[in-house]
Amino acid sequence: MTNKSELALYGGKPVREKLLPYGRQQVEEQDIAAVVNVLRSDWLTTGPNIEEFENALAERVGAKYAVAFSSGTAALHGAVFAADLGEGDEAIVPPLTFAATANCLLYQGATPVFADILNDTLTIDPAEILKHITPRTKAILPVDYTGHPAELEAIRAIADEHHLLVIEDGAHALGATYHNRPVGTINEMTMFSFHPVKHITTGEGGVITANDAKLAERLKLFRSHGINSDARQRQQEGGWYYEMIALGYNYRLTDIGAVLGLSQLKRLDANLARRRAIAARYTEAFAELPGVIAPRVRANVEPAWHLYPIRIDRQHLTTDRAEIFRALRAENLGVNVHYVPVHLHPYYRERFGYRGGEYPIAEAAYENLISLPMFHAMTDDDVQDVICAVEKVIGVFQSN
Ligand SMILES: *Cc1c(COP(=O)(O)O)cnc(C)c1O
């Protein structure tokens, strides 16, 4: 058994000399060259690369349409507008997610209603969704937490029976498949984010994939002030006239971002393969380690592994998540926690009266979660360092 004093937290030598972040972008020379070309071109914002990126992404995912936005959050806001959700409408979301999944409803005056999650995948529990459906419910927003698809078949069945729309938050799940179907094709709308920690990046950016032409039209309207034709189209037509027909925003992605995304998309498959190999290595190492619960993968699902969160198992440990987290950070692992349940944030507590205890599975998971480093540029040595550091820290606190 390791002695506590060997931990970097208590004066020992850290496993790594330099911090390994939990996630990071990979930008290569060809990405830089593509961006420089756009900087020398006529179009810095909505130019030819937007449509090219949208088409390439739609094709990769297998969806008919993809509409790019300035961020994943803006894309979710657009989806809520396109779905026609507003004042008096409710939509069901999981509590264990990034705040944007719920915030996008508030932007349009709709109300997020939380439904607790499944204890294995930590995605929304279909049985809990059913308990929260009211005559005001208009949509479900499942989150493919970590890149593991939510229970999309059961959710789809509930949505069809109750005439609800599904806006899938696939921010973690670009390239994931569910029962051999790619995420991004299964529901009315799916969001992917291109924030630098996600699978591919545009700096800031996001997209909604959809199969319905009307939804795609409404998404485009919303991202550009509610004005019904873009500048390039107007210029081509030689016209000056335009009409604003809805209240939209300026949520346009730049052409600079689009060309970066286009260049990055070419490496998505290699990126996914690397993440899956890292996840397999971690899961193998932690399977027999008392005190650590590795993420679970359901049958017929291929996750995209945006995150690799372990849960610590307090039954086998003499301490709590806080000390283990600090000990791992001291070993120079850039561990993180995903997420503080949304209903526990002060804004939600004050506005909706949540006090904690409403969503026991999400809250219990949150108490024990630690996201380990997971990004495609990690070397085999990096992966080994993570495993060593977890074994070292857990070894000190195992209760047997
Ligand atoms: C990253 C993320 C978002 C928001 O994406 P941005 O591009 O950062 O606005 C939304 N939901 C989840 C689950 C995310 O991880």
Side-chain angles (χ1 to χ4, degrees), residues 15 31 56 58 76 82 135 142 161 163 171 181 216 228 244 276 279 287 293 301 308 310 323 337 343-344 347 359 375:
V15 168
D31 299 336
L76 281 174
E161 189 184 333
H163 307 290
R181 295 172 68 192
N228 64 5
M244 189 199 122
R276 285 167 183 156
I293 300 168
V301 154
Y308 189 97
I310 55 167
E323 191 174 18
V337 172
H343 68 288
L344 299 183
Y347 181 85
Y359 302 99
F375 54 96

Side-chain angles (χ1 to χ4, degrees), residues 82 119 145 198 399:
N119 194 42
Y145 178 73
K198 307 285 163 62
S399 55

Side-chain angles (χ1 to χ4, degrees), residues 71-73 76 97-98 100-101 143 169 171-172 191 193-195 198 205 339:
S71 71
T73 303
L76 281 174
T97 183
F98 185 54
T101 317
V143 176
D169 182 336
H172 300 177
M191 182 277 279
S193 162
F194 308 127
H195 181 279
K198 307 285 163 62
Y339 293 93

